[in-house]
Amino acid sequence: MARISIEVDGVGYSDDVEPRTLLVHYLREQVGKTGTVVGCDTSNCGACTVHLDGASVKSCTVLAVQADGHEVTTIEGLATGGELHPMQQAFHENHALQCGYCTPGMIMQSIDLLHDNPDPTEQEVRDGLEGNLCRCTGYQNIVKAVLAAAAATPTHSDAAAGTGRSGGTA
Amino acid sequence: MIPAAFDYTAPESVADAITALGSDSEEIKVLAGGQSLIPVLRLRLAAPTLLVDIGRIEELSGITEEADTIVIGAMTTHADVAESDLVREHAGLLAKAAQTVADPQVRHRGTLGGALVHADPAGDLPAPILVLDAELVIAGADGERTVAAADFFEDMFTTAVGENEILTKIRVPKHTGWGAHYEKFTRVAQQWSIIAVAVTVQVDGGVISQAKVGLVNMGSTPTRASAVEQALVGQPATGDAAKHAASAAADGTSPPTDTNGDAAYRRHLATVLTGRAVRAAVGG
Ligand SMILES: Cc1cc2nc3c(=O)[nH]c(=O)nc-3n(C[C@H](O)[C@H](O)[C@H](O)COP(=O)(O)OP(=O)(O)OC[C@H]3O[C@@H](n4cnc5c(N)ncnc54)[C@H](O)[C@@H]3O)c2cc1C
Ligand code: FES
Ligand code: FES
């Protein structure tokens, strides 16, 4: 067992884990963040995407011990005071989900995408979501939602502030 | 799946990592970004008894500049390599290739050192490192040694890095002002290269004065297309010259046959994509 201290969605946790524990299993089974899901065994699908110190990662391909001392944001940490994050709102309004299984990862990666590129073209959105697979193949509305979220964000600096990134000055 | 159990240590210096690698645990593996190793552990294709995580060794990350060289720490991520102003300005080919690796999430974790030591024949970074004539700094119990990229890639998944050693730095000679292009051929998004062509050229007054051309997945290690390089030097920087030189791209290669295509198809792709890559590289 190894002792790790991690901040998840703004709350500090200290836990014992086996070194082989994947971050996604730690989040789901020890912290209870079941909003983050596992969709594959090959690191391809991106359903497990979370932010680690503000950058998107596949939490099935990170060991919990590697996240010791770092900050994680999951899909459950996006809404504030019952209000959806603008990206969640855009997915809702654009019908960007069918079964919803890929949605947590899609939203986390879309936020990362707009953080790097607040005003993307459609092609840039598709490229930025390259590591996220939708088994319902509902890509059209997912891309539409990301473009809508970008358009709804008034200025570039606002876009950077509204991403839910936890790195930097926090 | 969940990896088999292992012991774990996260040293904070290269010296401590070397000591850990020399301990008497049965099978010891270095863990860098984990983007190749963790999938392998999850599928239980490997079951090491001890992982030495080099991710907390600060001296292994970052990009600096020395006279004619840029020095990239082995733990620098693909994302940081792709976005680095130093790399873009002085080794544009490497920045462009790093941008094509996997997807954004994998690029946030995967490292240049990890990709080079992993040495997958379809990996995107070994060929640029080879043609840029980089040097690789390897640390072990007896201190540091430097290996030229041409001697580093020994076979598929096999490099000059020994069992108890760590790749610490990649030293890339500056190619300031050279045009560069990385042409990666895939069928679907987020795929490994079926083949890829890495080109960087120096153009003086409309004439190609130096040319470096590397091929990915045209053999068990990255390959240098020397015949193309020779054919390009002294030629005008035009599409015709590119096409003519590219016809020799598959000379002396032994590409694999797999579900993505057979060897003859890859040889054909090599000539077409080399022409395309050279045209793009001379253009900017
Ligand atoms: C979905 C997916 C798609 C991918 N697509 C591509 C692609 O298109 N192109 C591509 O090039 N790559 C691709 N990759 C692989 C990616 O580039 C990895 O980052 C890289 O191969 C390994 O780097 P790492 O830092 O993650 O190393 P790790 O996985 O941690 O280690 C890989 C191997 O190298 C050894 N090692 C690592 N660093 C050192 C060191 N400094 N010294 C000694 N030994 C070391 C480890 O012991 C291990 O054997 C993909 C990966 C995934 C998960
Ligand atoms: S569950 Fe992590 S990439 Fe599929
Ligand atoms: S909505 Fe079903 S997997 Fe994307």
Side-chain angles (χ1 to χ4, degrees), chain A residues 1-2 12 23-24 46 49 94 98 104 131 134 169:
Chain A
M1 286 289 177
L23 179 59
V24 68
T49 301
N94 290 278
Q98 294 178 42
C134 174
T169 54

Side-chain angles (χ1 to χ4, degrees), chain A residues 14-36:
Chain A
S14 260
D15 283 301
D16 290 326
V17 296
E18 274 192 87
R20 62 170 164 167
T21 308
L22 303 174
L23 179 59
V24 68
H25 290 138
Y26 170 72
L27 292 171
R28 287 176 59 82
E29 289 160 25
Q30 277 181 264
V31 185
K33 299 282 182 180
T34 50
T36 301

Side-chain angles (χ1 to χ4, degrees), chain A residues 3-6 52 63-71, chain B residues 8 56:
Chain A
R3 187 86 183 158
I4 59 169
S5 299
I6 301 187
L52 183 59
L63 300 174
V65 284
Q66 289 179 292
D68 180 25
H70 295 276
E71 292 175 9
Chain B
Y8 172 86
R56 296 192 192 262

Side-chain angles (χ1 to χ4, degrees), chain A residues 18-20 22 25 41-46 49 52 55-58 60-63 65-70 105 109 112 116 127-133 165, chain B residues 1-8 31-36 38-39 41-44 51 53 56 83 99-109 188-191:
Chain A
E18 274 192 87
R20 62 170 164 167
L22 303 174
H25 290 138
D41 232 343
T42 53
S43 301
N44 286 109
C45 78
T49 301
L52 183 59
S56 60
V57 301
K58 293 177 171 177
C60 71
T61 316
V62 177
L63 300 174
V65 284
Q66 289 179 292
D68 180 25
H70 295 276
Q109 181 53 30
D112 187 274
D116 288 346
D127 289 345
L129 295 177
E130 181 174 18
N132 294 74
L133 305 179
R165 285 221 166 190
Chain B
M1 268 169 65
I2 297 170
F6 49 76
D7 293 326
Y8 172 86
L31 173 67
Q35 302 304 290
S36 291
I38 294 174
L41 298 180
R42 254 187 351 228
L43 296 172
R44 301 208 178 184
L51 282 197
D53 180 355
R56 296 192 192 262
E83 283 156 27
Q99 188 60 38
T100 73
V101 171
D103 55 52
Q105 293 98 313
V106 172
R107 292 196 292 272
H108 283 146
R109 295 292 297 170
V188 295
Q190 190 213 45
Q191 196 186 7

Side-chain angles (χ1 to χ4, degrees), chain A residues 25-110:
Chain A
H25 290 138
Y26 170 72
L27 292 171
R28 287 176 59 82
E29 289 160 25
Q30 277 181 264
V31 185
K33 299 282 182 180
T34 50
T36 301
V37 296
V38 176
C40 74
D41 232 343
T42 53
S43 301
N44 286 109
C45 78
C48 63
T49 301
V50 301
H51 295 174
L52 183 59
D53 293 339
S56 60
V57 301
K58 293 177 171 177
S59 61
C60 71
T61 316
V62 177
L63 300 174
V65 284
Q66 289 179 292
D68 180 25
H70 295 276
E71 292 175 9
V72 175
T73 305
T74 76
I75 187 75
E76 296 189 27
L78 293 183
T80 41
E83 202 160 305
L84 293 181
H85 182 280
M87 189 63 74
Q88 291 174 307
Q89 190 66 34
F91 268 61
H92 176 69
E93 285 167 5
N94 290 278
H95 193 67
L97 53 154
Q98 294 178 42
C99 78
Y101 203 80
C102 69
T103 311
M106 285 287 180
I107 289 178
M108 296 312 286
Q109 181 53 30
S110 299

